[in-house]
């Protein structure tokens, strides 16, 4: 029994179910005017709370870095004036501070930099939700209990004194009747104080229950495989049970596309993480999404489906699914030209690669991973040693043609590359871009919101909003791939038609993805690049250990 | 110190008198000052939350509140230790003895309890914010512990003054003039401490007592339940005729002075959403017109003081509600609707930064804030019952306070 209580008390933080499965932190690589910056944000796990911000200014001499929170609802006009971040001692160009997040949902941190190259700013989207349930630490509990008992006893004694010697003239002593009266009154006080304490504890319990009710609950969905003309179709049905109570209402009608797709689904075969697909299910009705499956091998798969709300709040729907064998090898239909899959060796059996036309060998940091067209990528700048959990890293890959010359990746859904990170047990998953760990649509939402002068965001009519999104998606789908890529990049502010070139990020054969692994374990990283209009997927394994604190 | 039964006091000795008025112990001034600090700190803190929004453990208003806790705790705690370890027999004979060891005045016990409760609330509140979110409500369990502590200190200050005041009656008749002067000082110290306690009483309920609710019976029910109990106790505790008027005068002055002074200082909201941009502090509320029923009650209890407390309760409880309702209702119309109330004097233009300044019911009663006549009458009936009960308890409480000697 004693151990049980101890375990309960020591379980300081239990649940962490984030919008991005297991990865609460936000890392953003971006350009703030003339400054190249990496921003790392640790959101609070209880709202209202403070998010910890670290800004690394990579070039120039930044003198002052300011930050302020922007809420989607109240936008730029309703945001407070910024606070200065403090320079981290001994770390050139590194600044730290906090922003206060008072409301659940979609928020952004606006970072302003002043320095020798002038001023610059950028906005980092943050998903602010309460996810933690805490028990009281043992020592605090003991300390408060002692104080509580002392207060209880002192109050009863004081009440006793109030009706007995407190009303005697100096020097008088209590008569037996008065003594009895004191005891009776102390008895009554004990009962009343106990009732007050009981009331207080019930109040506390109801508070905790109320908090629990508003704790972030990930969206649930159930994945299934249908057969259409002998081809497997992936279907995800979103479970809207209880949404009225959670105030989610008609949010599925106000989803927005993230770099051109309403939903990005990643399928990873478990337990070996040896088969992977990135597909883009389309909306059939407000709760149903479907996509043709590529030629994935049969097995049990983890399903991660990313969606973004109009406010920029990004969420991941998680499920598992059994995928049956594809019956014959006829030409398969695809839902989106960008849908891809790859097969590689199981994480616990290196080199044990199945026979498939779409196969890569899994690499490790520093090794070369050859894609099926003979081009290859190297995960550079990392030794094969374990990485530290909680530390922001730049996962940098170099991309080469088969002859060893530098290969410049072509845009794939408006990005130079995509990465999906999965922990062996599926408890951590994230979809990254060279710009960072957030949804591109969320950043765009905040840029638009800040340009908007309305003080409060008005809710759109759901049906009309959904129609406009569907029309936009149909228009995108009808475009030839090249035109679509240029359109998407222009939309995200990363392509300047005048120059005919990508501007928002470095365009070389080196691609970096900022990320901080949330906890120790073994992870597999799926890297996706495009060459000659073909999407190539490579896989890398990495071990992460808990950071050693001295 | 001279009493009817003890030997003449031995002034000097190990007791170091620091005050200029040798007959009122310094800790009495200290606890009244502490009582002032906690309430002004609290009102400032409310204005801080209306104007700036976010705060930290060591924000200036919090420091003023803590100063009150420290002063009350240290002076009262020291007084207890001094009496216990170095006190003269006479001092011990004029103290209450607790746990068979400590000697203390009753007021010091309440002050120490209050300081200890405030101390307890700090780590509790810190944990609470980490667990359920940052400062968003006035009344959460840890804030309640804090406020109970504040009330403990303020009640302790009032009791301390009463005890000294009651002891004065026992002194030799040879210092008539000095006794009179001291009694007057003690009366004002009592009025101050009672007024500060009344202010916190009001502050606790202020969310229910705003100008928007002045045409709803709920405001009169809350007021009738909360105020007569304290006002009657104040009236019974001392023999001065205008005691209740004095205490409500202190409440009114404190509310007005903070309303007029705090908005002179610059402040800007630091939490979104900010719908009402401001550059100076927003004031707290214009005080309730408690002083008018107080004058009526003081007059009536003087006139009918010979009656027993049950009859008195009916007269005073009814008078409180009638007078209060009559004046407060019209003040409510004025504060809500009149453009003449939107200035520094009445402060109706102050507005929380997170609320839209263009809200259509900012300067008029919303339909949910007014009642039909039958609803209002029913509510006032409940308020009358509450006022009678509150008055009767207040009279009994006051009788007890009048008897405090130590």
């Amino acid at each position: 029994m004693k151990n049980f209580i101890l375990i309960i008390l020591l379980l300081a933080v239990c649940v962490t179910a984030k919008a991005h499965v297991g990865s609460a932190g936000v890392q953003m690589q971006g350009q703030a005017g003339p400054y190249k910056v990496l921003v790392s944000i640790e959101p609070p796990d209880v709202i209202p709370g403070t998010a910890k911000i670290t800004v690394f200014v990579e070039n120039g001499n930044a003198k002052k870095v300011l930050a302020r929170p922007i809420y989607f609802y109240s936008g730029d006009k309703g945001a407070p004036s910024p606070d200065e971040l403090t320079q981290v001692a001994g770390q050139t160009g590194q600044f730290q501070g906090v922003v206060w997040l008072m409301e659940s949902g979609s928020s952004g941190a606006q970072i302003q930099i002043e320095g020798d190259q002038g001023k610059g700013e950028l906005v980092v989207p943050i998903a602010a939700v309460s996810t933690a349930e805490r028990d009281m630490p043992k020592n605090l509990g003991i300390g408060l209990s002692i104080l509580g008992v002392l207060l209880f006893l002192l109050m009863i004694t004081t009440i006793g004194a109030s009706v007995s010697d407190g009303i005697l003239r100096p020097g008088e002593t209590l008569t037996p009747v008065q003594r009895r009266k004191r005891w009776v009154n102390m008895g009554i006080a004990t009962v009343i104080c106990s009732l007050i304490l009981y009331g207080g504890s019930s109040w506390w319990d109801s508070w905790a229950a109320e908090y629990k009710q508003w704790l972030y609950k990930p969206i649930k969905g159930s994945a299934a495989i249908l057969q259409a003309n002998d081809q497997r179709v992936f279907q995800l049905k979103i479970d809207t049970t209880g949404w009225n109570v959670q105030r989610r209402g008609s949010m599925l009608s106000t989803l927005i596309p993230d770099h051109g797709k309403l939903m990005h689904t990643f399928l990873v075969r478990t337990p070996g993480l040896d088969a992977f697909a990135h597909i883009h299910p389309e909306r059939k009705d407000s709760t149903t999404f479907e996509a043709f499956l590529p030629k994935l091998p049969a097995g049990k798969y983890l399903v991660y489906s990313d969606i973004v709300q109009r406010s920029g709040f990004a969420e991941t729907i998680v499920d598992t699914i059994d995928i049956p064998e594809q019956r014959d090898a006829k030409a398969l239909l695809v839902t989106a030209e960008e849908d891809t899959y790859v097969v590689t060796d199981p994480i616990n059996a290196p080199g044990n690669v199945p026979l498939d036309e779409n196969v890569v060998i899994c690499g490790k940091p520093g090794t070369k991973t050859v894609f099926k067209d003979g081009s290859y990528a190297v995960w550079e700048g990392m030794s094969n040693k374990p990485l530290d959990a909680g530390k922001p890293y730049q996962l940098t890959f170099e991309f080469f043609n088969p002859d060893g010359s530098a290969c410049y990746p072509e845009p794939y859904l408006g990005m130079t590359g995509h990465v999906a990170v999965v922990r062996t047990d599926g408890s951590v998953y994230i979809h990254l871009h060279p710009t960072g760990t957030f949804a591109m649509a969320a950043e765009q939402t905040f840029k638009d919101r800040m340009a908007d002068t309305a003080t409060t965001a008005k809710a759109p009519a759901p049906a009309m909003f959904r129609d406009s999104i569907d029309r936009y998606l149909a228009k995108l789908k009808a475009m030839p791939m090249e035109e679509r890529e240029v359109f998407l990049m222009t939309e995200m502010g990363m392509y300047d038609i005048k120059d005919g070139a990508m501007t928002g990020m470095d365009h070389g054969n080196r691609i970096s993805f900022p990320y901080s692994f949330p906890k120790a374990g073994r992870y597999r990283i799926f890297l996706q690049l495009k060459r000659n209009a073909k999407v190539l997927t490579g896989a890398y394994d990495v071990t992460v250990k808990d950071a050693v604190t001295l | 110190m001279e009493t009817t039964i003890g030997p003449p006091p031995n002034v000097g000795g190990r007791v170091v008198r620091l005050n200029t008025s040798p007959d009122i112990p310094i800790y009495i001034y200290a606890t009244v000052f502490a009582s002032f600090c906690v309430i002004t700190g609290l009102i400032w803190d409310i204005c801080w939350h209306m104007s700036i929004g976010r705060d930290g453990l060591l924000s200036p208003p919090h420091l003023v509140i803590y100063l009150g806790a420290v002063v009350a705790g240290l002076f009262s705690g020291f007084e207890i230790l001094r009496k216990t370890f170095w006190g003269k027999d006479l001092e011990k004979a004029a103290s209450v003895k607790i746990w068979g060891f400590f000697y203390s005045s009753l007021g010091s016990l309440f002050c120490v309890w209050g300081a200890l409760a405030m101390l307890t609330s700090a780590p509790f509140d810190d944990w609470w914010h980490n667990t359920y979110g940052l400062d968003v409500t006035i009344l959460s369990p840890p804030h309640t512990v804090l406020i109970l502590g504040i009330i403990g200190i303020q009640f302790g200050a009032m009791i301390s003054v009463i005890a000294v005041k009651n002891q004065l009656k026992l002194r030799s008749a040879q210092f008539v003039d000095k006794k009179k002067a001291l009694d007057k000082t003690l009366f004002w110290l009592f009025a101050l401490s009672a007024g500060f306690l009344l202010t916190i009483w009001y502050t606790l309920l202020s969310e229910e007592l705003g100008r928007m609710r002045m045409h709803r019976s709920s405001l009169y029910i809350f007021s009738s339940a909360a105020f007569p109990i304290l006002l009657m106790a104040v009236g019974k505790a001392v023999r001065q005729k205008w005691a209740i008027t004095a205490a409500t005068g202190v409440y009114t002055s404190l509310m007005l002075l903070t309303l007029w002074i705090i908005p002179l200082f610059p402040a800007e909201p630091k939490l979104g959403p900010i719908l009402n941009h401001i550059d100076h502090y927003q004031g707290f509320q214009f005080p309730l017109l408690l002083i008018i029923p107080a004058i009526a009650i003081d007059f009536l209890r003087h006139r009918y003081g010979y009656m027993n407390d049950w009859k008195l309760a009916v007269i005073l409880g009814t008078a409180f509600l009638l007078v209060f309702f009559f004046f407060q209702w019209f003040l409510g119309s004025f504060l809500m609707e009149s453009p003449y109330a939107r200035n520094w004097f009445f402060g109706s233009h102050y507005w929380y930064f997170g609320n839209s300044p263009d809200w259509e019911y900012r300067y008029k009663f919303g339909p949910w804030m007014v009642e039909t006549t039958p609803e209002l009458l029913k509510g006032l009936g409940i308020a009358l019952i509450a006022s009678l009960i509150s008055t009767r308890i207040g009279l009994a409480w006051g009788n007890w306070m009048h008897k405090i000697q130590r």
Side-chain angles (χ1 to χ4, degrees):
Chain A
M1 187 63 193
K2 207 176 159 195
N3 278 341
F4 176 73
I5 293 169
L6 190 68
I7 289 166
I8 296 283
L9 287 169
L10 289 176
L11 276 175
V13 180
C14 324
V15 188
T16 37
K18 285 286 173 180
H20 269 298
V21 188
S23 300
V26 185
Q27 276 75 38
M28 182 183 203
Q29 171 85 63
Q31 200 72 32
Y35 306 98
K36 193 177 172 193
V37 291
L38 175 66
V39 183
S40 180
I41 299 185
E42 232 174 85
D45 54 9
V46 173
I47 301 295
T50 55
K52 195 173 150 199
I53 295 191
T54 311
V55 178
F56 305 88
V57 185
E58 291 170 17
N59 64 315
N61 186 11
K63 296 212 162 48
K64 204 175 184 184
V65 178
L66 303 161
R68 66 178 189 144
I70 312 271
Y71 308 103
F72 177 74
Y73 171 70
S74 53
D76 182 44
K77 301 278 173 251
S81 59
D83 290 312
E84 194 170 343
L85 305 186
T86 47
Q87 188 148 16
V88 178
Q91 302 283 328
T92 319
Q94 191 176 334
F95 296 82
Q96 252 175 6
V98 296
V99 290
W100 286 57
L101 300 175
M102 296 307 287
E103 301 197 330
S104 263
S106 190
S107 303
Q110 184 189 34
I111 315 278
Q112 297 164 329
I113 299 171
E114 291 170 25
D116 58 353
Q117 300 185 22
K119 291 184 179 183
E121 67 170 59
L122 86 167
V123 182
V124 188
I126 311 170
V129 283
S130 295
T131 55
E133 278 184 68
R134 289 198 172 85
D135 285 305
M136 191 172 276
K138 197 179 171 191
N139 287 341
L140 180 65
I142 293 171
L144 286 178
S145 305
I146 292 171
L147 284 165
V149 169
L150 191 62
L151 284 170
F152 188 80
L153 294 178
L154 190 57
M155 180 45 82
I156 289 162
T157 318
T158 307
I159 289 172
S162 298
V163 296
S164 56
D165 43 358
I167 52 177
L168 294 186
R169 290 185 173 188
E172 281 180 353
T173 48
L174 289 170
T175 62
V177 177
Q178 285 167 325
R179 265 178 219 285
R180 202 175 323 123
K181 191 179 166 195
R182 174 165 72 180
W183 284 110
V184 169
N185 275 284
M186 282 169 73
I188 296 170
T190 306
V191 173
I192 292 174
C193 287
S194 304
L195 285 175
I196 291 172
L197 281 182
Y198 175 74
S201 112
S202 310
W203 186 21
W204 183 344
D205 287 345
S206 74
W207 200 294
E210 173 83 11
Y211 172 80
K212 237 178 236 178
Q213 193 192 329
W214 293 112
L215 210 60
Y216 175 73
K217 291 176 194 73
I219 296 184
K220 284 189 191 141
S222 55
I225 300 296
L226 314 175
Q227 296 288 339
N229 301 325
D230 281 345
Q231 183 174 354
R232 302 168 303 180
V233 175
F234 170 82
Q235 186 193 59
L236 184 72
K237 269 195 174 298
I238 295 172
D239 179 6
T240 58
T241 317
W243 275 25
N244 281 341
V245 183
Q246 292 173 42
R247 296 192 197 154
R248 280 188 181 272
S250 57
M251 74 153 258
L252 284 180
S253 294
T254 52
L255 295 180
I256 55 170
D258 187 18
H259 39 97
K261 301 292 176 191
L262 203 54
M263 179 180 277
H264 292 260
T265 292
F266 293 83
L267 301 167
V268 186
R269 185 156 73 171
T270 184
L273 311 185
D274 54 347
F276 165 91
H278 177 182
I279 57 175
H280 304 92
E282 290 178 347
R283 175 151 65 192
K284 294 295 160 197
D285 60 49
S286 41
T287 58
T288 314
F289 289 77
E290 283 178 13
F292 288 115
L293 266 191
K295 222 183 102 195
L296 276 178
K300 188 175 181 189
Y301 283 74
L302 302 166
V303 179
Y304 301 98
S305 288
D306 292 339
I307 50 173
V308 183
Q309 288 182 32
R310 172 178 157 269
S311 65
F313 191 81
E315 293 181 85
T316 302
I317 303 160
V318 183
D319 198 12
T320 53
I321 189 178
D322 281 309
I323 296 182
E325 203 67 59
Q326 175 64 36
R327 280 181 206 147
D328 53 35
K330 60 166 192 162
L332 297 176
L333 296 169
V334 291
T335 301
E337 283 176 88
E338 293 85 357
D339 291 3
T340 53
Y341 83 103
V342 75
V343 179
T344 181
D345 35 352
I347 196 159
N348 286 319
N352 184 7
V353 186
L355 285 173
D356 189 285
E357 62 186 33
N358 206 8
V359 158
V360 291
I361 307 291
C362 187
K364 300 233 180 274
T367 62
K368 158 174 154 180
T369 296
V370 184
F371 298 116
K372 64 172 180 177
D373 69 353
S375 63
Y376 59 92
V378 177
W379 183 355
E380 67 150 37
M382 295 276 177
S383 63
N384 201 2
K385 284 184 190 153
L387 306 182
D388 287 337
K391 192 168 154 188
Y393 285 103
Q394 287 280 14
L395 315 179
T396 305
F397 302 90
E398 267 188 292
F399 191 25
F400 298 97
N401 288 312
D403 63 3
S405 62
C407 177
Y408 299 94
E410 293 162 17
Y412 167 33
L413 290 172
M415 309 300 305
T416 46
H418 298 244
V419 148
V421 179
V422 184
R423 194 169 181 266
T424 40
D425 64 352
S427 67
V428 176
Y429 148 84
I430 196 161
H431 174 191
L432 302 176
H433 301 119
T435 46
T437 60
F438 55 91
M440 293 303 293
E443 190 199 6
Q444 196 55 45
T445 294
F446 270 91
K447 283 184 180 162
D448 294 347
R449 187 64 186 94
M450 288 182 67
D452 176 9
T453 54
T455 323
T456 50
K458 298 266 182 295
M464 224 194 285
F465 193 89
R466 204 174 82 183
D467 266 1
S468 72
I469 294 292
D470 287 344
R471 274 200 305 276
Y472 167 88
L473 288 170
K475 184 180 109 186
L476 268 187
K477 198 173 180 181
M479 285 179 187
M481 190 191 269
E482 213 169 303
E483 189 187 331
R484 180 162 62 234
E485 293 295 352
V486 170
F487 178 85
L488 286 173
M489 282 193 297
T490 313
E491 213 181 32
M492 288 188 279
M494 287 187 298
Y495 192 87
D496 194 338
I497 298 171
K498 269 202 316 264
D499 300 346
M502 290 167 98
T503 54
M505 47 191 153
D506 294 340
H507 192 207
N509 73 324
R510 287 175 85 234
I511 311 167
S512 295
F513 298 84
Y515 186 55
S516 163
F517 293 89
K519 59 179 177 181
R522 292 185 68 196
Y523 290 80
R524 184 158 273 193
I525 293 170
F526 295 96
L527 167 70
Q528 297 200 287
L529 299 164
K530 199 151 97 177
R531 179 174 179 268
N532 295 331
K534 290 266 181 306
V535 177
L536 306 167
T537 307
Y540 293 88
D541 284 345
V542 63
T543 306
V544 176
K545 63 176 175 40
D546 278 323
V548 183
T549 42
L550 295 171
Chain B
M1 211 152 71
E2 207 166 341
T3 69
T4 48
I5 44 168
N10 180 5
V11 178
R14 297 169 83 170
V15 183
V16 183
R17 301 275 186 183
L18 296 170
N19 51 347
T20 48
S21 172
D23 290 307
I24 300 177
I26 188 92
Y27 80 88
I28 297 291
Y29 291 106
T31 49
V32 175
F33 171 73
S35 175
F36 171 71
C37 285
V38 288
I39 182 60
T40 41
L42 194 66
I43 292 178
W44 184 8
D45 197 46
I46 291 171
C47 295
W48 179 289
H49 282 279
M50 284 172 68
S51 318
I52 298 171
R54 73 178 198 208
D55 61 2
L57 192 66
L58 299 180
S59 72
H62 287 182
L63 290 180
V64 177
I65 297 175
Y66 301 149
L67 175 69
V70 169
V71 168
L74 285 185
F75 275 85
S76 303
F78 176 76
E79 196 57 23
I80 293 173
L81 296 179
R82 190 188 63 77
K83 277 183 186 152
T84 304
F85 294 106
W86 305 287
K88 308 221 159 299
D89 288 345
L90 184 67
E91 278 180 320
K92 288 184 178 173
S95 302
V96 296
K97 191 176 184 185
I98 64 157
W99 299 342
F101 182 73
F102 291 104
Y103 290 92
S104 168
S105 72
L106 210 47
S108 296
L109 277 184
F110 279 105
C111 282
V112 165
W113 187 90
L116 203 59
M118 288 175 76
L119 179 78
T120 308
S121 80
F124 186 24
D125 200 36
D126 186 53
W127 175 81
W128 190 272
H129 288 167
N130 285 327
T131 307
Y132 303 115
L134 292 167
D135 229 342
V136 278
T137 12
I138 294 184
L139 278 188
S140 64
H143 287 180
T144 305
V145 174
L146 177 74
I147 290 170
L148 286 176
I150 290 179
I151 291 179
I153 285 176
Q154 296 198 302
F155 186 63
M158 190 168 76
I159 300 285
S160 299
V161 177
I162 293 176
V164 175
K165 195 169 181 301
N166 287 340
Q167 283 172 18
L168 204 60
K169 294 174 203 158
L170 306 173
R171 298 213 177 155
S172 158
Q174 68 185 98
F175 307 111
V176 177
D177 289 344
K178 187 159 191 206
K179 269 175 72 177
K180 252 189 177 164
L182 281 180
D183 193 53
K184 206 171 170 188
T185 311
L186 283 165
F187 171 68
W188 280 110
L189 285 173
F190 169 74
L192 286 172
S193 54
F196 299 151
L197 183 60
L198 176 62
T199 313
I200 204 143
W201 217 250
Y202 165 77
T203 307
L204 265 185
L205 296 171
S206 56
E207 285 180 352
E208 305 293 334
L209 304 177
R211 62 189 165 91
M212 296 205 167
R213 294 169 194 254
M214 285 178 189
H215 283 189
R216 275 189 77 88
S217 55
S218 66
L219 181 137
Y220 300 94
I221 296 173
F222 273 104
S223 300
S224 299
F227 298 124
I229 189 171
L230 184 56
L231 298 182
M232 304 305 160
V234 165
K236 277 271 184 180
V238 294
R239 53 171 182 77
Q240 270 85 356
K241 183 180 174 187
W242 297 106
I244 304 177
T245 308
T248 47
V250 169
Y251 154 80
T252 309
S253 311
L254 183 69
M255 291 292 294
L256 285 177
L257 287 173
T258 49
L259 180 71
W260 295 337
I261 294 171
I262 292 176
L264 296 177
F265 295 93
E268 67 155 313
K270 293 297 279 181
L271 281 181
I274 303 163
L275 306 184
N276 179 34
H277 287 271
I278 46 169
D279 56 6
H280 279 72
Y281 272 104
Q282 302 295 286
F284 190 35
Q285 299 172 3
F286 191 80
L288 292 178
L289 290 182
L290 292 173
I291 194 161
I292 300 176
I295 294 170
I297 292 167
D298 272 338
F299 175 78
L300 288 172
R301 71 189 179 92
H302 194 62
R303 174 84 177 71
Y304 298 105
Y306 59 87
M307 288 186 175
N308 76 34
D309 283 349
W310 291 101
K311 288 181 184 164
L312 210 52
V314 175
I315 296 172
L316 301 182
T318 312
F320 171 83
L321 179 63
L322 288 181
V323 178
F324 178 66
F325 172 73
F326 181 80
F327 285 95
Q328 199 61 48
W329 178 277
F330 289 109
L331 181 73
S333 309
F334 173 75
L335 290 178
M336 273 308 279
E337 290 160 354
S338 171
Y340 299 111
R342 295 163 211 167
N343 48 42
W344 66 272
F345 189 90
F346 292 104
S348 285
H349 61 314
Y350 295 127
W351 197 242
Y352 177 58
F353 66 81
N355 289 347
S356 167
D358 304 323
W359 191 47
E360 63 174 310
Y361 294 110
R362 181 172 174 185
Y363 294 124
K364 76 177 185 198
F365 288 103
W368 65 96
M369 283 299 171
V370 286
E371 290 167 314
T372 59
T373 311
E375 280 170 342
L376 182 68
L377 288 175
K378 186 183 161 204
L380 288 177
I382 297 171
L384 180 64
I385 295 167
S387 180
L388 294 176
I389 296 172
S390 177
T391 303
R392 184 63 191 89
I393 298 173
L395 292 172
W397 180 17
N399 288 335
W400 164 68
M401 287 206 292
H402 190 63
K403 286 190 273 185
I404 292 170
Q405 301 289 334
R406 302 188 179 191

